[in-house]
Amino acid sequence: MVAHQQRSANSGERTRLAYWRKRPAFVKFEDPKDCFGEPPKPAREPRALPRILRSVVVGLYVVLFSHSLDAEMIPPKPDGYFNDYAGVVSKEAASRFNEQLAQFERETSDQVVVAVFPKMQSDSDIADYTQRVAQAWGVGQKERRNGVVLFVFIQDRKMFIQVGYGLEGALPDATAFDITERHIKPLLRTGNYEAGLTTGIDLICKAIRGEYKGSGKTVAEGKGGGAFTSLLPFIIFVIVLIIISRLFRKLGGYGYSSRRGGPVFIPSGGDWSSGGGSGGGFSGFGGGGGSFGGGGAGSSW
């Protein structure tokens, strides 16, 4: 009997030892409900960290992209062939340049545009920036891609000639560099902007003349633009002025009719074009959808 009790005690002790050996390691539960058989949840999901990193990367990209947009401005397509936004030449010279380039398009179908800015509105390289601007303006005909743009940035003391695909053979990079470096640059250094631009326009036109033949009309004139399009803002202004004058007379107020001795406001031609002092006259520029592949060259003075 005693032996039986001893065996039972030993058996119970072995059972307890086996239980403790098989007992799982201590688990720290973060919530009391986990004690009732539910598996504990990790404090952070395994993919949480990659998601945070991804959000940080996206945020940095948005900031950098927004900064790049703020740092660069593509000016709108000009209304004239010659556009002096910096006011370095007289309005008479600007009008003469504009008509010369319009006539050149009528004779050759080539579109040559000149844009003089106070400074470059970009942190990019001048070649890359001016290519994007020329492309956005669509200088040159779409089929021939025969556009050329001479960019001049006065405060930066830089210039660049952008050449469309269709004229890269007639005006290669070496010729474009020769025009800016040897002919325009010396004149701009002395502050003689009108002479420098005259020389640049003449040499560009001389280099590409004969590559294509014109139709006798510019793109704007072919689309029915011409003089009427240039006069349209002035016509609208006069019509509105007449309507306001009649309304004032009916109401017994003061009018702006010349019959009553009041002044008649007539804006000057240059103020209706893109940028102050840009090409006046009645020959408006109309981009033809030309494209640019980076051909051209420039100089600093």
Side-chain angles (χ1 to χ4, degrees), residues 3-190:
H4 177 72
Q5 290 177 349
Q6 186 65 31
R7 285 196 299 272
S8 298
N10 292 338
S11 176
E13 183 66 23
R14 285 195 299 271
T15 302
R16 284 193 296 273
L17 290 173
Y19 170 77
W20 284 106
R21 289 193 188 98
K22 295 180 180 180
R23 184 177 179 182
F26 177 75
V27 178
K28 182 180 179 180
F29 296 104
E30 298 183 3
D31 196 294
K33 68 180 182 180
D34 295 331
C35 302
F36 298 94
E38 295 183 10
K41 297 181 180 179
R44 176 180 290 178
E45 296 181 13
R47 296 181 61 83
L49 186 58
R51 277 203 297 268
I52 292 174
L53 291 175
R54 194 161 54 247
S55 300
V56 171
V57 171
V58 171
L60 288 173
Y61 176 80
V62 170
V63 171
L64 291 174
F65 181 72
S66 301
H67 177 72
S68 65
L69 289 178
D70 293 338
E72 180 168 298
M73 184 191 74
I74 303 295
K77 184 176 71 174
D79 295 330
Y81 296 87
F82 185 85
N83 306 273
D84 180 15
Y85 299 99
V88 295
V89 301
S90 65
K91 290 189 176 182
E92 293 76 14
S95 180
R96 186 176 68 252
F97 290 146
N98 190 75
E99 188 55 39
Q100 177 186 349
L101 295 174
Q103 184 61 29
F104 186 75
E105 183 185 352
R106 296 184 188 104
E107 296 172 358
T108 66
S109 79
D110 300 330
Q111 291 187 342
V112 179
V113 172
V114 179
V116 183
F117 293 95
K119 66 176 307 206
M120 193 168 66
Q121 299 295 320
S122 175
D123 297 328
S124 301
D125 176 75
I126 186 173
D128 296 334
Y129 175 63
T130 53
Q131 180 188 352
R132 288 192 290 274
V133 175
Q135 183 72 29
W137 289 354
V139 182
Q141 296 184 4
K142 186 175 182 180
E143 299 78 12
R144 296 179 172 180
R145 300 184 289 187
N146 53 345
V148 177
V149 186
L150 170 59
F151 292 94
V152 179
F153 302 97
I154 301 300
Q155 296 177 23
D156 300 313
R157 302 180 73 85
K158 295 179 180 180
M159 57 181 153
F160 202 95
I161 299 176
Q162 279 290 340
V163 183
Y165 281 111
L167 291 174
E168 289 181 355
L171 186 57
D173 297 355
T175 303
F177 179 74
D178 181 75
I179 292 173
T180 60
E181 184 71 16
R182 293 184 55 200
H183 299 277
I184 303 178
K185 178 177 177 177
L187 294 168
L188 297 189
R189 271 185 170 176
T190 63

Side-chain angles (χ1 to χ4, degrees), residues 214-238:
S215 63
K217 291 183 178 181
T218 66
V219 170
E221 292 167 349
K223 292 179 179 178
F228 178 75
T229 302
S230 301
L231 283 172
L232 186 58
F234 176 74
I235 295 172
I236 294 175
F237 174 81
V238 172

